[in-house]
Amino acid sequence: MNISEVKEKFATLAGLSSTEADSWTSICEDSISEIESRLKDREFDEDEIKKLNSAAAALSFYKYVLCVSIKDDLNPANQYVSNPYTKNLALSLWRGYKSGISELLSDDNFEFKGII
C-alpha cells in the first residue's frame, strides 16, 4: 500500500489541503497497518492495491471525523464534521470500501465451536 496515495485520497474525502492532511499522516499510517494486518498472505495486483489504498483512505476519513468530533464538538467551524449525519456517512463510506476488499482479507469472523 502507498502512504502518499492514501493521504491524497484522504485529503480529498476530508476536504483538506495536502498541507493540512500532513498532520493526519499517523492516522493514515495506522489505517494502512490495520488493513495490512488483516490481509491474506499473497501478492496483490495493481487494481487490488488501488482498492486497498482507497479503503485505507476511507478508514482514515472515518477516524478523522471521530477525532475532530471528539476534539472540536462545540467549535462552530467544525459543525459539519461533528454532525452525527457526517459520522454515519463516514462510517457507511468505510463499510462500503471494506466490503469491496473483503475477498482480500483473512476471515476473522470465523468461530470454531464444539458440538455437544
Side-chain angles (χ1 to χ4, degrees):
M1 294 173 63
N2 184 306
I3 186 64
S4 61
E5 289 180 25
V6 171
K7 275 180 43 179
E8 182 180 335
K9 184 154 190 143
F10 159 73
T12 301
L13 291 170
L16 301 174
S17 68
S18 59
T19 305
E20 291 170 320
D22 284 341
S23 62
W24 295 94
T25 299
S26 61
I27 296 293
C28 294
E29 290 170 341
D30 287 348
S31 297
I32 289 171
S33 294
E34 188 174 333
I35 290 172
E36 285 180 340
S37 72
R38 299 185 57 218
L39 290 175
K40 292 179 179 178
D41 188 21
R42 68 173 183 87
E43 294 294 318
F44 299 99
D45 64 34
E46 189 176 322
D47 287 339
E48 292 170 328
I49 291 171
K50 284 181 183 180
K51 284 182 181 180
L52 292 168
N53 287 333
S54 293
L59 179 56
S60 299
F61 175 63
Y62 176 57
K63 291 177 179 182
Y64 163 80
V65 168
L66 294 179
C67 289
V68 170
S69 295
I70 291 167
K71 186 174 80 171
D72 295 329
D73 206 19
L74 302 175
N75 184 342
N78 291 318
Q79 281 182 333
Y80 170 73
V81 176
S82 298
N83 185 310
Y85 175 77
T86 305
K87 293 174 192 173
N88 288 333
L89 187 62
L91 178 59
S92 294
L93 182 70
W94 157 235
R95 286 181 176 162
Y97 276 101
K98 183 180 177 187
S99 176
I101 62 168
S102 62
E103 73 276 359
L104 307 177
L105 303 175
S106 298
D107 183 8
D108 62 353
N109 293 324
F110 177 79
E111 290 185 41
F112 183 78
K113 296 182 180 183
I115 300 174
I116 299 177

